[in-house]
């Protein structure tokens, strides 16, 4: 039973004291506490500061290319004969993905806080690239931690980071992917908190990160809302986004959270051969990287090795706000396999001339299947979190062993 006090809390009010229901929190080593409290205070101040918001807006518009278009995918819609499919084009943001929205906000905040150095972890390399970009444009030295395995499968992004002046640290521990890079970045931050800001790349980590990253990414959903009301005269029926840590999905969903008629669908990495990264669909509650949420762990509580065709979804945890949305059934989360994602990748490429990131391709498959089951007068919006240039080598490598061009 809800008490009156609980009943008064709207979903949009979360986090309350750093927590999303029982999820989130600040499970961090003592040495990081002062930095987390400093960050929280600085963020609250920046959020209320018209000067900070104007500076961020200026970078979003004139440097980042916002607002991004919302595009009616007519051929995709006609091919599947269901609901109208609209695409929110975050692939057109400077850097090629939604990561910029968060990174620019955090980098500006770090500058306001007088920090002299930026560090970041990266999986697909997109967050590292965005951090290197922000470091370059603000003149702040930037260092990026990246797993060795990811460096091999995302070489062009390693080159991009280096070209923009960032230092890239190779992480060889564990599975040498995103989880290990995150652990390494946190270790470095513990030793350098006084002059360094750690730019976390998704709605994960200890409070205030999940809230702050959500707020910076909410520009996606805010724009969708304005664009839909202007161009379609109503709100969408379903919003679809892929979920790694969950930042592009949270940015898409959050501005609609009190609009109960708008359904949320998150697409996680279903992987292949029983190996996956579907923390919400198949995980259990635990603590990872400073927050309580769903994660993939074995019986001893050790995080499991994950697999996804897309480096950006290859993470055993997920943002705590998604864990809350799952439990209260505000959002639905489904696992999309590598093979299904490749199908989504081809649909968008062949029918619309838009090559999506492999992460995005999971959302494309989920969104198209949902749209196919709905009536023509309904509207499905899929957030295209990034472009696929970085994945061409992966896809062509696979095409040699799989049948392509099936449309
Ligand atoms: C990083 C990345 C993702 C996954 O991150 P979220 O925090 O879940 O959004 C998805 N798509 C692209 C293109 C990415 O670069």
């Amino acid at each position: 039973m809800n008490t009156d006090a609980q009943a008064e809390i709207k979903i949009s009010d979360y986090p309350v004291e750093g927590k999303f229901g029982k999820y989130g929190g600040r499970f961090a080593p003592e040495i990081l506490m002062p930095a987390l409290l400093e960050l929280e205070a600085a963020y609250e101040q920046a959020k209320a500061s018209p000067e900070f918001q104007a500076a961020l807006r200026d970078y979003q518009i004139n440097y980042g290319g916002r607002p991004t278009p919302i595009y009616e995918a007519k051929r995709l819609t006609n091919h599947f004969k269901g609901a109208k499919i609209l695409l929110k084009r975050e692939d057109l943001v400077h850097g090629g993905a939604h990561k910029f929205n968060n990174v620019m906000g955090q980098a500006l905040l770090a500058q306001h806080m007088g920090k002299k150095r930026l560090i970041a972890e990266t999986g697909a390399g997109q967050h590292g690239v965005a951090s290197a970009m922000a470091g370059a444009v603000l003149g702040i030295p930037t260092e990026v931690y990246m797993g060795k395995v990811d460096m091999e499968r995302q070489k062009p992004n390693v080159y991009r980071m280096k070209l923009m002046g960032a230092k890239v640290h190779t992480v060889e521990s564990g599975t040498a992917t995103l989880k290990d890079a995150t652990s390494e970045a946190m270790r470095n931050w513990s030793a350098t908190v006084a002059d360094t800001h750690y730019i976390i790349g998704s709605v994960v980590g200890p409070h205030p990160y999940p809230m702050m990253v959500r707020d910076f990414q909410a520009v996606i959903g805010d724009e969708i809302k304005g664009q839909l009301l202007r161009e379609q005269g109503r709100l969408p029926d379903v919003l679809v986004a892929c979920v790694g840590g969950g930042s592009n999905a949270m940015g898409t969903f959050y501005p609609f959270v009190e609009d109960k008629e708008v359904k949320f669908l998150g697409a996680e990495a279903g992987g292949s051969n029983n190996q996956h990264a579907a923390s919400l669909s198949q995980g259990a509650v635990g603590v990872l990287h400073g927050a309580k949420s769903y994660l993939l762990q074995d019986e001893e509580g050790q995080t499991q090795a994950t697999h996804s065709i897309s480096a950006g979804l290859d993470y055993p945890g997920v943002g705590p706000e998604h864990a809350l949305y799952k439990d209260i059934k505000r959002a639905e989360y489904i696992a999309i396999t590598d093979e299904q994602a490749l199908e989504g990748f081809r649909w968008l490429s062949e029918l619309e001339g838009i090559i999506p990131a492999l992460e995005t391709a999971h959302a494309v498959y989920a969104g198209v299947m949902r749209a196919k089951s709905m009536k023509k007068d309904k509207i499905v919006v899929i957030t295209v979190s990034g472009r696929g240039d970085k994945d061409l080598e992966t896809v062509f490598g696979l095409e040699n062993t799989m049948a392509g061009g099936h449309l």
Side-chain angles (χ1 to χ4, degrees):
M1 287 291 287
N2 273 353
T3 64
D4 284 349
Q6 278 172 325
E8 278 169 24
I9 298 174
K10 287 194 296 189
I11 309 171
S12 53
D13 290 338
Y14 285 106
V16 176
E17 290 168 3
K19 292 169 78 183
F20 301 88
K22 66 176 181 176
Y23 301 107
R26 190 145 44 199
F27 296 84
E30 208 52 49
I31 191 165
L32 288 183
M33 284 302 174
L36 292 169
L37 294 173
E38 180 196 0
L39 180 61
E40 186 182 359
Y43 174 64
E44 290 300 342
Q45 205 185 21
K47 196 172 166 178
S49 155
E51 292 80 33
F52 179 87
Q53 293 302 332
L56 178 57
R57 196 68 200 136
D58 187 45
Y59 277 105
Q60 284 175 340
I61 295 170
N62 297 308
Y63 182 70
R66 302 209 71 87
T68 58
I70 192 133
Y71 163 72
E72 186 177 333
K74 290 207 179 76
R75 292 199 69 222
L76 193 62
T77 300
N78 289 342
H79 190 83
F80 291 96
K81 301 182 173 42
K84 189 192 284 183
I85 300 171
L86 305 181
L87 305 176
K88 179 59 174 167
R89 299 290 309 275
E90 294 300 294
D91 56 315
L92 296 178
V93 174
H94 180 44
H98 69 290
K99 295 291 196 311
F100 168 84
N101 306 330
N102 164 45
V103 161
M104 206 61 230
Q106 286 197 51
L108 268 181
L109 186 59
Q111 192 181 51
H112 278 239
M113 292 167 76
K115 300 289 180 185
K116 301 278 181 270
R117 175 177 172 260
L118 300 173
I119 59 169
E121 84 294 336
T122 198
Q126 296 296 98
H127 177 58
V129 167
S131 298
M133 253 162 46
V137 73
L138 296 181
I140 309 175
T142 303
E143 296 176 33
V144 180
Y145 293 83
M146 188 168 189
K148 193 166 191 247
V149 169
D150 289 339
M151 285 178 78
E152 275 152 22
R153 51 183 174 177
Q154 304 290 338
K155 272 198 205 107
N157 277 341
V158 177
Y159 298 147
R160 284 186 187 102
M161 287 185 265
K162 290 184 175 170
L163 285 170
M164 291 186 282
K167 185 169 173 188
V168 184
H169 296 279
T170 310
V171 177
E172 301 193 28
S173 54
T175 52
T177 56
L178 181 55
K179 166 181 73 70
D180 312 290
T182 305
S183 302
E184 200 53 44
M186 281 200 164
R187 249 195 299 281
N188 179 276
W189 199 34
S190 304
T192 59
V193 281
D195 69 343
T196 298
H197 174 68
Y198 174 22
I199 306 182
I200 291 187
S202 191
V203 286
V204 299
H207 183 66
Y209 283 101
M211 168 185 76
M212 181 173 70
V213 177
R214 172 197 76 193
D215 293 350
F216 286 138
Q217 290 293 0
V219 66
I220 303 173
D222 283 334
E223 286 180 8
I224 293 175
K225 202 173 219 182
Q227 287 165 322
L228 264 275
L229 289 173
R230 256 192 323 276
E231 294 165 24
Q232 308 286 336
R234 67 179 187 86
L235 295 181
D237 296 286
V238 186
L239 295 168
V240 189
C242 64
V243 178
S247 69
N248 87 87
M250 201 41 77
T252 300
F253 297 165
Y254 182 69
F256 294 88
V257 73
E258 302 300 342
D259 301 310
K260 292 293 154 53
E261 70 276 24
V262 181
K263 302 267 186 292
F264 303 160
L265 178 61
E268 296 193 286
S272 55
N273 300 324
N274 287 325
Q275 280 208 305
H276 58 85
S279 330
L280 286 160
S281 315
Q282 307 197 39
V285 176
V287 173
L288 177 67
H289 295 141
K292 184 186 273 190
S293 187
Y294 281 91
L295 34 128
L296 296 168
Q297 52 191 351
D298 62 23
E299 278 116 57
E300 270 98 61
Q302 288 290 329
T303 49
Q304 275 170 19
T306 52
H307 162 79
S308 169
I309 192 173
S310 59
L313 302 186
D314 201 347
Y315 181 68
V318 66
E321 197 163 9
H322 285 291
L324 173 70
Y325 284 17
K326 173 190 158 85
D327 283 6
I328 63 174
K329 298 194 163 58
R330 180 62 189 88
E332 181 190 350
Y333 299 92
I334 56 173
I336 300 299
T337 66
D338 288 350
E339 209 169 320
Q340 291 170 328
L342 281 168
E343 210 162 341
F345 183 91
R346 292 195 204 98
W347 291 338
L348 209 60
S349 300
E350 293 173 22
L351 289 169
E352 295 292 348
I354 297 170
I355 301 172
L358 281 172
E359 292 83 2
T360 308
H362 291 70
V364 172
Y365 186 89
V368 163
M369 284 300 143
R370 182 58 49 97
K372 196 176 165 188
S373 73
M374 293 166 64
K375 295 220 168 66
K376 283 202 166 120
D377 61 344
K378 302 290 183 192
I379 297 176
V380 172
V381 176
I382 303 173
T383 293
V384 180
S385 56
R387 65 178 184 223
D389 307 44
K390 68 183 177 59
D391 297 313
L392 300 187
E393 224 177 293
T394 304
V395 173
F396 272 93
L398 290 167
E399 291 283 321
N400 290 334
T401 54
M402 296 168 83
H406 66 297
L407 279 173

